[in-house]
Amino acid sequence: MNVFVVGANGQIGQHLVHLLAIHPEHHVKAMVRTEEQLEKLKKSGIEGVVANLEGTVDELVEAAKGCDAIVFTAGSGGSTGHDKTLLVDLDGAVKTLEAAEKLGVERFVMVSAIQAHHRENWSEAIKPYFVAKHYADRFVEASSLNYSIIRPGGLTNESGTGQITVAENLTRNTIPREDVASTIVQVLTDRHTYRRSFDLVSGDQSIEEAIKSL
Amino acid sequence: MNVFVVGANGQIGQHLVHLLAIHPEHHVKAMVRTEEQLEKLKKSGIEGVVANLEGTVDELVEAAKGCDAIVFTAGSGGSTGHDKTLLVDLDGAVKTLEAAEKLGVERFVMVSAIQAHHRENWSEAIKPYFVAKHYADRFVEASSLNYSIIRPGGLTNESGTGQITVAENLTRNTIPREDVASTIVQVLTDRHTYRRSFDLVSGDQSIEEAIKSL
C-alpha cells in the first residue's frame, strides 16, 4: 500500500514512518512542513513532500497524489495557541479528508483522542482540543471513506510493549506513542476496522489479537 | 412564534430581543449567561433564562423548551481567546443545534459571517474564527432542520438604514447590527428562506424586498 502520512514529523508520525518504511507490503510518503525535515527524511531513505495543513485542499491533493491510504496523525501540539487547534487539528484534518475524497483515496486512518466522541468525558484543561478532535472525527464518520478512527489515551514516550486494549469506550489510561504507531500499521490493511472508531490504551493483548477482537 | 434567542445579551442579540418583544406575532425568550443580565431583561418586561453554551445539550434543551424557533446569534467575541472560539462559536452552536433536534424545533436561524463557506475568502487576521463558523454552519446545513444561515459582513454600531443586499456570495462590506437583527425578524417566518444560506451587507433594497428577491 502507498501510505501518505500527514504529521510525519510528529512524535507518533516519526515512529509510524519508520515502521512503514521497513514494512514489506508498504511504501510511505511522509508529509512534513519544512525543507530541513525533508532533508532528514532523505537521509533515512524515506520519500517526503513539503506541504502545509494551513494551505489549500488542492495543495494537499498535489502532495498526496498516488497514495492508496492516508493517515492523519498531525497535531498542533501543546506549545501553540488554540488558533492552531482550529487551523490544524480541525480545519487541517477536514481539508485532508477533502483531499482524500478528491483523489478517490478510500482508506483513511485518523488519530484522535480517547473519548473524543463523548463531551462529558473531556477533561476541563484540554476541552478546546477535544472540541477540534470531536468535530474532525464527526466529519470523517460522515464521509463515505473506509475510515478507522483510533482514539489513544494519554501518550507517553516509553518504548512500546506491543500489548494493548481496544474498545468503543475505555477508561482513560496511557499508551506509548510507539504502540499507537504499531496499531496504525496493523489497522491499515484490516478491512474489519473499516468505518470503525475505537479507544486505545495499553493492555494485555497483542496488537493483532486486540484488533481482531474488536 | 415563540422564539428562543441564544446570545441575547450580545450586540445583535439585544437589538433582536427588543424587535421581537414589540412584534405582534412573536414571543421572545432570551437566553443569557448571568442573573444580572436576567434582571435587566425583567426590567424591560422580557422573558429570559440563564443558561450557558459551555454546559450540556440537556441544559440547552431545558432552557429552550416550548419554543418554535431558535436563533443562534452568540459569539465569544474578540476579547476572549481562541479556546472560547472552539467552546462557544463551534461547540456551543452545534450543541444548540442538537438541542433543537432533541426538542423537535424545526426552525433554526444561524448568524454566521460573510463568506464563511469559502476558505479562500477568510481574512488572515480572523481565520480561526472563520474555521469555527464554517464548521458550525456545515453542521446546520447537514441537519434536517428548516435552517437559514445569515452571513453578515463587517458589523457596525451605526443605526439601521433598513436597506440591505443579500446573495449567496457578496463582496465584503459593512452592515449595522440593527439591520442584521431586522433581517433575522424578516427571515424567521419566511418559508422561502428555509434551508438557505446567504451573505448580507448594507444595500439599496428594503429588507422585505431583498429577502423576497433571494
Side-chain angles (χ1 to χ4, degrees):
Chain A
M1 220 175 208
N2 288 310
V3 185
F4 186 69
V5 177
V6 179
N9 197 56
Q11 295 189 76
I12 293 171
Q14 289 189 26
H15 284 297
L16 176 62
V17 164
H18 288 96
L19 286 175
L20 290 171
I22 58 168
H23 198 287
E25 290 168 33
H26 296 305
H27 173 80
V28 62
K29 190 175 176 186
M31 178 175 138
V32 290
R33 257 180 313 163
T34 67
E35 293 293 337
E36 288 75 14
Q37 291 165 353
L38 188 68
E39 277 307 307
K40 207 175 110 190
L41 285 171
K42 268 188 191 165
K43 281 179 190 155
S44 312
I46 292 165
E47 188 186 350
V49 59
V50 173
N52 197 316
L53 284 170
E54 295 184 49
T56 65
V57 173
D58 286 342
E59 282 165 41
L60 296 172
V61 164
E62 194 53 42
K65 249 178 199 164
C67 71
D68 313 303
I70 295 179
V71 178
F72 185 92
T73 183
S76 60
S79 60
T80 57
H82 288 117
D83 52 339
K84 294 296 181 188
T85 312
L86 282 151
L87 296 171
V88 174
D89 301 275
L90 176 55
D91 199 31
V94 179
K95 284 189 288 191
T96 305
L97 179 74
E98 290 174 12
E101 286 167 337
K102 276 197 170 188
L103 284 165
V105 174
E106 288 178 9
R107 185 69 179 125
F108 194 91
V109 177
M110 173 66 132
V111 179
S112 181
I114 192 164
Q115 290 294 302
H117 57 318
H118 285 147
R119 288 191 187 102
E120 61 273 26
N121 294 335
W122 299 348
S123 66
E124 204 55 45
I126 53 167
K127 220 171 173 180
Y129 171 72
F130 273 107
V131 172
K133 298 304 284 180
H134 175 78
Y135 289 104
D137 290 357
R138 281 172 71 167
F139 276 94
V140 172
E141 289 176 335
S143 77
S144 60
L145 302 186
N146 292 325
Y147 67 81
S148 299
I149 298 176
I150 302 175
R151 296 184 300 247
L155 301 167
T156 74
N157 285 329
E158 285 163 38
S159 295
T161 64
Q163 298 283 303
I164 64 167
T165 299
V166 290
E168 206 179 318
N169 291 293
L170 289 170
T171 307
R172 191 174 176 81
N173 211 327
T174 60
I175 182 161
R177 289 181 168 88
E178 196 178 342
D179 283 334
V180 177
S182 303
T183 304
I184 295 169
V185 176
Q186 180 67 36
V187 158
L188 255 176
T189 51
D190 187 341
R191 289 176 163 267
H192 171 63
T193 65
Y194 283 10
R195 301 191 69 77
R196 302 280 294 272
S197 308
F198 53 89
D199 287 349
L200 163 67
V201 297
S202 288
D204 52 13
Q205 280 189 298
S206 75
I207 292 174
E208 195 180 342
E209 281 174 329
I211 295 300
K212 262 190 196 150
S213 75
L214 250 184
Chain B
M1 219 175 208
N2 288 310
V3 185
F4 186 70
V5 177
V6 179
N9 197 56
Q11 296 188 76
I12 293 171
Q14 289 189 25
H15 284 295
L16 177 62
V17 163
H18 287 95
L19 286 175
L20 290 170
I22 58 170
H23 198 288
E25 291 167 33
H26 295 305
H27 174 80
V28 63
K29 189 174 177 186
M31 177 176 139
V32 291
R33 259 179 312 162
T34 68
E35 293 294 337
E36 289 75 15
Q37 292 165 354
L38 188 68
E39 276 308 307
K40 207 175 110 190
L41 285 171
K42 268 188 193 166
K43 280 179 190 156
S44 312
I46 291 166
E47 187 186 349
V49 59
V50 173
N52 197 316
L53 284 170
E54 295 184 49
T56 65
V57 173
D58 285 342
E59 281 166 42
L60 295 173
V61 164
E62 195 53 41
K65 248 179 200 163
C67 72
D68 312 305
I70 296 179
V71 179
F72 185 91
T73 183
S76 59
S79 60
T80 57
H82 288 117
D83 52 339
K84 295 295 182 189
T85 312
L86 281 151
L87 296 171
V88 174
D89 302 274
L90 175 56
D91 200 31
V94 179
K95 284 189 289 191
T96 304
L97 179 74
E98 290 173 13
E101 285 167 337
K102 276 197 171 187
L103 283 165
V105 173
E106 287 178 9
R107 185 69 179 125
F108 194 91
V109 178
M110 173 67 135
V111 178
S112 182
I114 192 164
Q115 291 293 304
H117 57 318
H118 285 146
R119 288 190 187 103
E120 61 274 26
N121 293 336
W122 298 349
S123 66
E124 204 54 45
I126 52 166
K127 219 171 173 180
Y129 171 72
F130 273 107
V131 171
K133 297 305 285 179
H134 175 78
Y135 289 105
D137 290 356
R138 280 173 71 167
F139 275 94
V140 172
E141 289 177 335
S143 77
S144 59
L145 302 185
N146 292 326
Y147 67 82
S148 300
I149 299 176
I150 303 175
R151 296 184 301 247
L155 301 168
T156 74
N157 285 328
E158 285 163 36
S159 296
T161 64
Q163 299 283 303
I164 63 167
T165 298
V166 290
E168 206 178 318
N169 291 293
L170 289 171
T171 307
R172 192 175 177 82
N173 211 325
T174 61
I175 182 161
R177 289 181 169 88
E178 196 179 342
D179 283 335
V180 177
S182 303
T183 305
I184 295 168
V185 175
Q186 180 67 35
V187 158
L188 255 176
T189 51
D190 186 342
R191 290 176 163 267
H192 171 62
T193 65
Y194 284 10
R195 302 192 70 76
R196 302 280 294 272
S197 308
F198 53 88
D199 288 348
L200 163 67
V201 296
S202 287
D204 52 12
Q205 281 189 297
S206 75
I207 293 174
E208 196 181 341
E209 282 173 329
I211 295 300
K212 262 191 194 150
S213 73
L214 250 184

